[in-house]
Each structure stands twice: as C-alpha cells, then as structure tokens.
Amino acid sequence: MKPIELVIQAFGPYKDREVIDFEELNRRGMVLIKGPTGSGKTTIFDAMTVALYGGGSGLNSKNKTGRNDFAQWRCNQASREKATIVSLTFEQSGHVYRFTRTLTPKRVNLDETCSFEVMGPDGVFKSAIENPKGSMLNAKAEELIGLSKDQFRQVIMLPQGQFENFLTAGSSEKEAILSKIFGMEKWKNISDTFFAMASDRKNRLDTAYKAVVNSLDEEEKGFNKLEDLERYISDLKLKIAELERDYREYDSAKKIQDLNSDRALSSQFDEYRRIYDERQLLFGKVDEYKEKRQRLADAQKAESVRTYLVDYERAVTDVKNRKYVYDKCLDNIPQYEQRVYDALKAKDDHEKNSPVAGLQKLQGEYSSKRGIYENIDRLLDNYSVAKANVDRADKQLIAASQTEERSVGAAKRAKQAFDEADKFTRSCRDRYYAGIYGDIADGLVDGEPCPVCGSTAHPKLAVKEPDSVSKQDVDDAQAAQDRARNAWNSAEEARQKAVLDKQTAMSNLADKKSLLTQAQTNLTNAREGMIEGIDSLSALDAKIRAIAKQIIQYEAQGKQLEEAYNRAFKDNNSLKTQRDTAKLELEKATENYTTTREALRQSLHENGYKNSEEAKSFMLDNRSRDELAEDVTQFNTRCGENNKTFAAIKDKLKGKTQPDASQFDARQREISQKDKLYHSETGRLNSEIVRLDKKYAQLSKAMADYNSQINEAEADYTFAKRLRGDSGIGLQRYVLGIMFNQVIGEANEMLKKVHGGRYKLVRSDEKGVGNKRGLELIAHDNRKPDDVGRNVSMLSGGEKFLVSLALSIGMSSVAQKSGLKIDALFIDEGFGTLDENSIDDAMEILKDVQKGHGLIGIISHVDLLQGIIETQIEVVKTKEGSTIKMC
C-alpha cells in the first residue's frame, strides 16, 4: 500500500482542512512528524486507519467507544455546520483508490456517509460502490491491501507504546498474530480437512460393520454370522418344495371344474321352473286380453269419425266468437262518436281564449332591462368584496402589532442568554487547557517512560490548576453556547420579520379603504334605472322565466288538445272498420258451420253410429290407444317365446337329475381354503427367501468392503491426528515455525548494525501460556558465545525498542516477500528511550528498510532526529486548533 494523499477536516484537533501530499514525501524517502505534546501528531496516523478501517491506530476494541468510534474523532472546536472529513488516496497493485468517510451535522445528531472511488485511465475518480456502509468500506480495505486492521498495525503502522508487545508475547499470542499476517489458516484447513475425511471414512466403516452385526442379530432367529443365515435360507427352500408336492396331489383345478358343472346344471333346472311358472301365469290372462283386443278394434273404428266431429265443434265455437265481436262493435260506436265531438269543442275553445300575445310583449319589456340589473349585481359584489377586504386588513394590522411587541421582547432575552453562555464557555476552555498538563504529570512514575516523549526521567512536572475542568465540561459548555447562539439568531430574525409585517399591514389597510369608497359611489348611481318591485338581476330573470313558462304551458296544452282530437277521430274510424270486418267474418263462419254439420251427419251414418255421443264413447286418445296396442302386442309375443323356450329346455333336461345346491358353498370353501393356505404359505416363504437373499447379498458385500478398507482407513486416521498436532507439532505450527525463522533471520540481519552486532534472536523451546512451545524468543549476547542467552523480557527499555523494531521490520520484510506489497512504514514514538549511539544504530536500520519500503514516517519528540531526518512535518498547536506545516 503506497499512500498518495491524506485529507482531514474537523478531525481531532484539526479544525480546518489539512492536506498531506505523500507523493512528494515518497520521493524523499523518510519524514519526521514533530510538534508539542497533544498537538495531534498521532492523529495523522489515526486518520489513515480511520479512513481505511473506521478506527484509530491505537489499541483495538470491539466496543464502539473512544478511538474506534468515528463520531468521537469530530473536532469540538469546529463550527456546527462544518462536516468532519477523513480521506485517504493510495496506490495498490497498479490501481489508485480513494477511501472517504464524512460526518455531516444534522439537526439532532451526525450523519455518517462513506465513499469508495477508483481512478480511471483518464485520471478521474469514479464511484465503485453506490452508497457503501462503513462495514463495507472496512471489508474492501482488507480485500485490497490484504491486511486486517490488526495486521495493518503490526506490519505497516507501528503504534505508540506497542513495539515490544509482539517481542515479549507468548507462543500462543505470537501464533495468533503470525497466523493472521502469513495466512496460516490454509494449513490448518488442510490438516482439519484431511482429519475430517479420515475420521469420516473410519466412522463410516465402523458404522457399516455395526450395521452388519445388528442386521443379523435383529432377525427372529438371532444369527451370529453370515453362514447361519445362509443355512436358514436353504431350509426355507426345502419346505416350499414339500408344499408344492402336496398341492399337486390335491388337484384343486379338477375339483373346481366339477363344482362349476354342477352349478350350471342346477341353474338350468331353476330356469325350467321359472319358465313353467310364467307359462301358467300367461294361461290365466287369455280372457283378459281377448277383451282388450275387442276394445282396441272399437277405438280404431271410431277414429274415422273423429276428424268430422272436431271440424264441426270448431265451427260451432267460431260462429259464437264472431257474433260476440260484431255485437260489441255495434254497442261502442255511439260512445266513440261522442268523444270526437267533445275533443273538437275543447280544442276550439282553447284557441279562442289564448293570452300568449300579451305575455310575449311583457317578456320583451323585462328582457330590455337585463343590462341595467347585470351591472347592479356586479357593483354589489364589488362593494361586498371591498368591505370584507377592509375588515380583514384591519384585523391583520392588529395581529401584526401584537406580534411585533412579543418578538422585540423575545430577541432581547435571547441576546442576554447568549452573552452569558459565551462568557461561561470561554472561562471553561481556559481552565481546561490550564489543567490538562497537570493530569499527565500526576500519572508519571520515576523509571517508567512518559506516554508523550518516552523519557524515564521526569525532572520538572507540570502543576494542575485547582479550578481546572474536564473535556466533557468544555464540550457541554460549547454545546450550550451553540444552542444559545441559534436561539438568539432565530429570535432576531423573527423580530425583523414582525416589523416588516406591521408596515405592510398598515399600507394594505389604506389601499382597501380607498377601494371601498369608490365601490359605494358606483352602486348608488346605478340603482336609478331599476324596475319597481324587482331589486336584483336574479328576481328579474325569475319574472322573465315565469312568463316564458306560462307561454310554453299554454301552447303545450293546445298541442295536447289537438292530439286528443286526432286520436278520438282515428279511434272512431278504426271501430267502424272493425264492425264491417266482423260482419263479413260472421257470415263466413255461419256458412262453414252448415257444411261441417252435414259432413258429420254423413260420417256417423256410414259407420253405424246413432249420434256423435255414441261415437265418442268408443274413442280413445292417441296415447291410450297406442299403449293398449303395445300391451296386446307384447302379450302375444311373450306367449310365443314361452312356448318355444319351454319345449327346448324340457328336451335338454330329459333324463337328468338336479344336483344338491345346498352343498355348493361348502365345496367352494374347502377348495378356497386349500388354495389360500397353499398360496399364503408359499408366498410368505418366497417373500422371506427373497428378503433374506437380498440381505445376505448386501451384508456379504458390506463385509467384503469393510475388510478391504479398514486397515488403510485406520492408518489414515492415525496420520491425520499427527498432521493436526494431536500428539506433537502439527502442520500449521510446522509451517509457522519456518515463517518465524525467516522473520528472525531478517531481524538478526538488522541487529548486526545495532551495538556492534551484539545481540542475536534465537527461538526457545520453553513452554508458554497454554502449554504451547516453539515460538518463545531468547536474546543471545554474541560477546558470550557459550551463554544460553536471556529472555527478551529482561532487555532494557532501549534494547527492547531496537530489538522490537528489528523484529517488526523483519516481519514486514517477510510479509512483503510472501506477496504482500508494502510501500510505506510508519513508526509512532519509542526513540525517547535511546541514547545517541542507539539512535544512530536505529537510523541505520531504517535507512536500509527505506530502500525496500519506499516511505518511512516517524513520530518523535527527540531533538536529535530533527538534525538527522531532513524532511519534516510540523504540527502547530494553537488555542483555535492544530495545523500542519511542511518543513
């Protein structure tokens, strides 16, 4: 990761926008960041880790408080409307990226937004993720750089006061750190995967063997081995052969055949008795059907008279109906003629007494006055509107005056409240800065390094002022001042608006009164041309409409009387036409009556009937006649079929004896029981043989598979446990040891330049926390070749820093050789524990490292470094906040 540009605003102590151009610093190679205690030097490193991972460069914490809460980094001296911005542009694997996190003040809280941009071929940044969340930006940083935040702090960003943590850490802690940096998880996954596969294979084989044993034991016979099952299957097959021999000797098929033959013969005897009984029944109905045949013949003869009888009766009815219609027309003619006379008289009287001409004249006179009334209505509306506007403007002026009076008082009170809050805030801030250095001095202990400069000697301590306040007190006072300022601004804006609103209301009232006077004058002049008794346009229009309605109603009545006369005249003529038509139809019906009466008399005579009543007595309706004919025909058919069938079955049964039908069911049950028993038992035995044969084949195959694989599976399982480290060093720890040796080798190369190459790091086999060993470190003194060395925790403060620096840089170098590209290294403090010679040694190490890493940034208070490192960034601290100055 090669940083290009860092932009911060309203972040930590930096109130305004600050920009660090890392491209220029990359060309110079090494940069010193200097400034007074508490000015914000470490905040520059924090800003880089916040931009990438959302938290500061110090100790990590899962809780969203302190350095890992972006909102806590907001500058408390920044103006309310200024946004907090932290943006890092960097190069990784040939691409340029920009990570930006922003806190925008809202009415109640802060709104956090993030952006992830990539520079295109045209040099322009474009958004790569739309509206990303902070967690998405964290994951993207880890994906691009190849390091988590913890790894970033171990490899690239070396935080203040944490150099010796890795050096003095136990084997378990070192293993966790190195595993993350060098990706040792894959080796653990390999060993775990192989163990899971070997364990699963052995478990499957053991389960398969137990399944075979359980399957044999679960049988009713309780077999102990496969050979017992095989012998039992052979015994079942012999038993089936015995059942088949006995079934063949019984010959159930022949017994079924004999039973079916006897049942068929018995059915023939039953049919003979049925036909005989039917024959006797038919003989008993011979006389009944003789009478039915005679009745059918009489009905068929009477049918020849039916047509003449029907025509005659229809002619009688027709004459009667025609005479009724003709007589009714004669009775109605006088009444219809009177209706014609009455309608004509009413129409003539209506026309003589018409008032339409007079009404039309009056309507014209009223219509000529509409123009005058239309103007009156418009002037009345104008007057009403002007009067309402005056009343409304007067009320608005009263309300505006009251609002002005209230807003003047509110603005005065808000100004007094702000002045008091501002005075109190300034006092709190002065007392806070006067007391903060005393807090740091109270916590110093002789012989322990200062958290600011790193020195173990503290000759002159700062004194805490007795009236000092906390940072929270300052923040609370500032928040109260901001609220008072906002309230004062709002109250002043309301007062100015109230004054302007009152002036506007006074001008508006004067305009409305002038318009009301003019409207009243116009209305008085226009009322002189009105008609007496009609005081509005609506009343005039109502009069005109009433006259028009009278005209329309009278004319409509005349039209109705005309239509009534026409209907009466038309109905009278229609009735006379009906009378003439009815007379002709009555004459035709009378003539038809005479003809049909003579034809009926002739037909009765020819068929030997005395009169029509006698002929009717023999007649049947079509349905009854058809049913009677069908009944006679069916009886004749049944008699013929019975004679034929009776002769045939009598001849067929000649010389035969009817079997005993009462024994048929018993014989059938005996045969069925024999068949059922045979098939049931052989079916059961065959099913059992098939099931057991299948089980025998499956169990035989399972045992063969088990025997062929169990030795290899147990060997794989034993090897997998060793690979996992169940007994000794596993694969992951073995590979990790190789990587750690490379780290130690790189560190020792650097230590050759420290104190004349006095120290060399060596791995110890001592057990650490958790009973783990192999990653503990011993510092070997090369001046004493036979000395076993001492634990690194026993080194002095300066020695620990140099050895820790070499080890951390060695870890970065190995990580870079493993494929992780590192173009920058940042170190925060630690030089305060070194003497002049040690500082020279440390700088020699860093100069060699700089050749491979590109840029090295150092934060330190040590004056000697300012003369050694030419490129410097100075953090200037003031009461208004800190600024960055390139030197």
Side-chain angles (χ1 to χ4, degrees):
M1 192 275 290
K2 181 179 180 180
I4 296 175
E5 182 183 70
L6 176 66
V7 178
I8 53 178
Q9 175 180 289
F11 184 83
Y14 300 100
K15 181 178 66 173
D16 299 319
R17 180 182 176 88
E18 303 289 342
V19 179
I20 298 179
D21 183 1
F22 282 109
E23 282 196 309
E24 177 61 27
L25 298 178
N26 285 326
R27 287 190 288 270
R28 300 184 184 184
M30 190 176 296
V31 60
L32 174 67
I33 303 175
K34 64 182 182 178
T37 301
S39 59
K41 301 185 296 300
T42 301
T43 304
I44 295 175
F45 289 179
D46 289 327
M48 298 172 66
T49 55
V50 168
L52 293 172
Y53 299 102
S57 63
L59 290 174
N60 197 8
S61 173
K62 293 183 179 180
N63 297 324
K64 189 182 179 184
T65 57
R67 306 181 72 84
N68 289 310
D69 184 0
F70 184 27
Q72 294 295 322
W73 285 100
R74 176 168 175 79
C75 178
N76 56 26
Q77 291 178 290
S79 61
R80 172 65 183 170
E81 63 276 4
K82 182 174 290 187
T84 296
I85 300 172
V86 56
S87 177
L88 178 63
T89 304
F90 63 93
E91 180 182 345
Q92 180 71 27
S93 302
H95 298 282
V96 178
Y97 305 97
R98 179 187 291 158
F99 279 51
T100 303
R101 299 176 193 255
T102 305
L103 289 174
T104 304
K106 296 298 182 181
R107 189 175 57 144
V108 178
N109 50 20
L110 299 172
D111 181 30
E112 180 178 352
T113 57
C114 304
S115 68
F116 168 58
E117 300 171 284
V118 181
M119 181 183 288
D122 55 358
V124 177
F125 281 98
K126 295 182 180 178
S127 177
I129 303 177
E130 184 177 354
N131 298 324
K133 300 293 184 183
S135 57
M136 296 173 63
L137 220 58
N138 301 347
K140 197 66 181 178
E142 186 169 341
E143 174 190 341
L144 294 174
I145 300 173
L147 298 172
S148 67
K149 181 188 171 188
D150 289 339
Q151 295 167 352
F152 188 82
R153 292 167 56 246
Q154 291 287 344
V155 177
I156 295 177
M157 188 78 64
L158 306 182
Q160 177 177 332
Q162 299 182 47
F163 293 101
E164 66 180 63
N165 287 355
F166 180 72
L167 176 68
T168 59
S171 292
S172 297
E173 295 175 85
K174 286 191 178 75
E175 180 178 359
I177 295 171
L178 292 171
S179 295
K180 288 184 178 179
I181 293 175
F182 297 119
M184 291 293 102
E185 188 67 22
K186 65 181 179 182
W187 300 106
K188 182 178 184 301
N189 291 339
I190 290 173
S191 58
D192 287 347
T193 300
F194 185 76
F195 178 81
M197 294 171 61
S199 178
D200 179 66
R201 184 186 183 191
K202 185 176 182 303
N203 290 337
R204 283 190 286 106
L205 289 172
D206 291 343
T207 302
Y209 178 80
K210 291 179 182 178
V212 171
V213 173
N214 292 336
S215 182
L216 288 171
D217 185 63
E218 71 185 7
E219 292 295 329
E220 186 178 356
K221 298 295 183 180
F223 304 116
N224 294 321
K225 52 188 178 179
L226 282 174
E227 289 76 4
D228 295 341
L229 175 61
E230 185 179 14
R231 283 193 296 273
Y232 181 69
I233 294 173
S234 298
D235 293 342
L236 292 179
K237 291 180 179 178
L238 290 175
K239 189 171 183 180
I240 288 178
E242 292 176 1
L243 289 173
E244 289 177 344
R245 184 181 64 251
D246 294 343
Y247 186 69
R248 285 195 301 272
E249 292 175 356
Y250 179 74
D251 197 1
S252 63
K254 177 65 169 61
K255 288 181 171 55
I256 286 291
Q257 183 179 359
D258 293 343
L259 177 59
N260 290 337
S261 297
D262 288 348
R263 280 177 168 168
L265 180 59
S266 180
S267 296
Q268 291 177 1
F269 273 98
D270 291 342
E271 181 65 11
Y272 172 79
R273 283 195 298 273
R274 186 190 67 75
I275 294 173
Y276 179 80
D277 292 341
E278 182 184 26
R279 185 179 183 83
Q280 296 302 316
L281 180 63
L282 292 174
F283 281 155
K285 294 183 177 182
V286 170
D287 293 339
E288 175 186 348
Y289 275 89
K290 182 177 180 181
E291 293 178 358
K292 287 185 178 181
R293 290 190 190 94
Q294 182 58 50
R295 185 178 177 188
L296 178 61
D298 292 341
Q300 290 172 343
K301 176 183 177 183
E303 277 302 305
S304 60
V305 180
R306 183 185 294 276
T307 302
Y308 297 102
L309 181 61
V310 170
D311 290 345
Y312 170 71
E313 289 176 346
R314 187 181 296 118
V316 172
T317 301
D318 191 33
V319 168
K320 182 178 179 181
N321 292 338
R322 300 298 179 185
K323 188 171 188 313
Y324 173 78
V325 172
Y326 176 70
D327 292 343
K328 191 161 185 66
C329 288
L330 292 178
D331 292 341
N332 289 337
I333 284 176
Q335 180 182 356
Y336 275 59
E337 287 180 346
Q338 182 62 40
R339 288 180 184 173
V340 172
Y341 174 78
D342 293 342
L344 179 60
K345 185 176 184 304
K347 182 174 75 71
D348 292 342
D349 291 344
H350 186 77
E351 291 175 353
K352 291 177 182 179
N353 300 322
S354 174
V356 171
L359 291 173
Q360 288 175 341
K361 180 179 178 182
L362 183 60
Q363 183 183 33
E365 293 175 356
Y366 282 6
S367 296
S368 65
K369 294 285 187 179
R370 286 196 84 260
I372 296 174
Y373 279 88
E374 286 176 350
N375 191 38
I376 289 292
D377 281 356
R378 181 179 59 79
L379 293 175
L380 279 171
D381 290 341
N382 291 344
Y383 176 78
S384 299
V385 170
K387 182 67 170 63
N389 287 340
V390 168
D391 294 341
R392 189 180 302 109
D394 189 49
K395 291 178 181 179
Q396 290 173 350
L397 177 58
I398 294 171
S401 299
Q402 294 171 347
T403 301
E404 179 192 26
E405 182 179 353
R406 289 193 299 271
S407 62
V408 168
K412 183 177 180 180
R413 290 190 297 274
K415 177 63 169 61
Q416 292 173 350
F418 169 72
D419 290 340
E420 293 174 0
D422 181 61
K423 181 179 179 181
F424 181 71
T425 301
R426 293 177 185 276
S427 173
C428 284
R429 188 177 292 114
D430 293 341
R431 288 153 59 198
Y432 169 71
Y433 286 118
I436 190 170
Y437 301 115
D439 289 335
I440 297 175
D442 289 343
L444 294 177
V445 178
D446 288 338
E448 295 184 3
C450 173
V452 177
C453 67
S455 175
T456 57
H458 320 296
K460 185 177 181 180
L461 299 177
V463 179
K464 182 177 181 180
E465 296 296 333
D467 62 343
S468 62
V469 296
S470 67
K471 180 65 168 58
Q472 183 62 46
D473 293 332
V474 174
D475 291 343
D476 292 343
Q478 182 64 51
Q481 180 190 11
D482 291 343
R483 290 193 296 272
R485 179 188 288 110
N486 293 336
W488 176 36
N489 290 338
S490 299
E492 182 61 24
E493 291 176 0
R495 185 194 66 78
Q496 294 174 2
K497 182 177 182 302
V499 171
L500 181 60
D501 289 346
K502 179 180 178 181
Q503 294 173 353
T504 303
M506 293 174 64
S507 177
N508 183 50
L509 178 60
D511 293 341
K512 299 306 180 186
K513 287 182 176 180
S514 175
L515 293 174
L516 176 62
T517 302
Q518 184 63 42
Q520 187 173 13
T521 301
N522 294 338
L523 179 61
T524 302
N525 295 335
R527 280 178 171 168
E528 296 177 357
M530 295 174 64
I531 300 173
E532 184 177 357
I534 301 178
D535 57 359
S536 67
L537 178 62
S538 59
L540 178 64
D541 287 339
K543 286 286 187 180
I544 296 173
R545 287 194 299 273
I547 294 172
K549 184 176 180 182
Q550 289 178 336
I551 295 172
I552 292 171
Q553 288 176 346
Y554 198 85
E555 290 178 344
Q557 290 175 358
K559 186 175 181 181
Q560 291 174 357
L561 292 172
E562 178 72 26
E563 291 174 352
Y565 167 73
N566 292 335
R567 283 196 304 272
F569 185 79
K570 182 179 179 181
D571 292 344
N572 186 43
N573 289 339
S574 176
L575 182 61
K576 290 180 179 179
T577 301
Q578 290 178 17
R579 178 198 61 192
D580 296 340
T581 301
K583 182 178 180 181
L584 292 175
E585 290 177 350
L586 176 60
E587 291 173 352
K588 290 180 180 179
T590 302
E591 182 179 353
N592 182 54
Y593 165 77
T594 302
T595 302
T596 56
R597 184 182 60 185
E598 181 58 28
L600 174 60
R601 188 190 62 78
Q602 182 66 31
S603 178
L604 291 172
H605 177 73
E606 291 176 353
N607 286 283
Y609 295 117
K610 297 178 182 178
N611 50 47
S612 59
E613 294 302 323
E614 183 181 1
K616 286 182 180 181
S617 66
F618 292 107
M619 290 182 181
L620 295 173
D621 59 74
N622 291 338
R623 180 178 178 180
S624 300
R625 189 173 64 254
D626 293 342
E627 289 176 352
L628 181 61
E630 179 66 21
D631 188 21
V632 171
T633 301
Q634 288 181 359
F635 180 77
N636 294 336
T637 301
R638 287 175 62 192
C639 289
E641 290 176 349
N642 183 269
N643 289 332
K644 181 178 179 181
T645 304
F646 182 76
I649 197 169
K650 185 178 180 181
D651 182 64
K652 187 174 182 180
L653 295 177
K654 187 176 182 180
K656 295 182 179 180
T657 303
Q658 184 173 3
D660 185 1
S662 63
Q663 296 299 315
F664 288 164
D665 291 343
R667 291 165 63 186
Q668 180 67 59
R669 282 194 299 273
E670 178 186 338
I671 297 170
S672 297
Q673 288 174 355
K674 287 286 185 179
D675 286 347
K676 182 177 180 181
L677 180 62
Y678 167 74
H679 291 297
S680 173
E681 187 64 13
T682 55
R684 184 187 67 79
L685 292 174
N686 280 321
S687 297
E688 184 70 359
I689 290 171
V690 170
R691 183 183 70 82
L692 294 177
D693 278 341
K694 183 178 180 181
K695 173 178 277 193
Y696 179 78
Q698 292 174 343
L699 297 182
S700 297
K701 182 178 182 305
M703 284 302 298
D705 291 342
Y706 174 80
N707 292 329
S708 65
Q709 298 181 46
I710 186 61
N711 292 334
E712 181 183 340
E714 288 178 343
D716 287 349
Y717 181 71
T718 300
F719 176 72
K721 290 197 295 182
R722 293 179 59 192
L723 194 65
R724 196 175 63 167
D726 290 2
S727 57
I729 297 176
L731 177 62
Q732 179 185 3
R733 177 62 73 86
Y734 177 76
V735 176
L736 193 62
I738 294 174
M739 300 301 294
F740 192 41
N741 284 340
Q742 294 181 19
V743 172
I744 295 172
E746 291 287 339
N748 285 334
E749 286 297 318
M750 299 176 197
L751 288 175
K752 290 178 181 179
K753 302 177 182 180
V754 176
H755 295 336
R758 175 181 175 183
Y759 291 111
K760 179 175 69 174
L761 292 175
V762 179
R763 285 176 60 187
S764 168
D765 198 34
E766 294 180 2
K767 289 185 178 179
V769 179
N771 204 30
K772 291 190 175 182
R773 68 175 74 202
L775 299 180
E776 305 293 333
L777 289 174
I778 292 177
H780 180 74
D781 192 340
N782 290 325
R783 297 177 304 176
K784 302 176 182 179
D786 298 330
D787 188 11
V788 295
R790 53 178 171 160
N791 192 287
V792 291
S793 63
M794 301 299 295
L795 295 173
S796 67
E799 290 171 336
K800 282 183 182 178
F801 173 77
L802 290 172
V803 174
S804 298
L805 177 63
L807 188 63
S808 297
I809 294 173
M811 188 158 51
S812 297
S813 299
V814 174
Q816 188 163 352
K817 291 178 180 179
S818 300
L820 180 66
K821 186 171 179 58
I822 301 174
D823 294 309
L825 185 66
F826 299 94
I827 303 172
D828 189 358
E829 292 295 355
F831 290 88
T833 60
L834 302 182
D835 57 25
E836 186 173 338
N837 292 332
S838 297
I839 291 177
D840 290 338
D841 291 342
M843 293 307 299
E844 286 298 318
I845 293 176
L846 293 176
K847 287 178 181 178
D848 287 344
V849 173
Q850 186 269 323
K851 296 176 183 178
H853 288 75
L855 173 65
I856 293 181
I858 300 172
I859 294 177
S860 180
H861 292 86
V862 178
D863 295 336
L864 183 59
L865 291 179
Q866 298 184 28
I868 298 174
I869 303 174
E870 297 180 358
T871 304
Q872 299 177 11
I873 295 176
E874 182 179 2
V875 179
V876 181
K877 179 180 179 182
T878 67
K879 289 185 178 181
E880 288 74 25
S882 297
T883 59
I884 293 175
K885 177 182 177 184
M886 301 295 293
C887 301

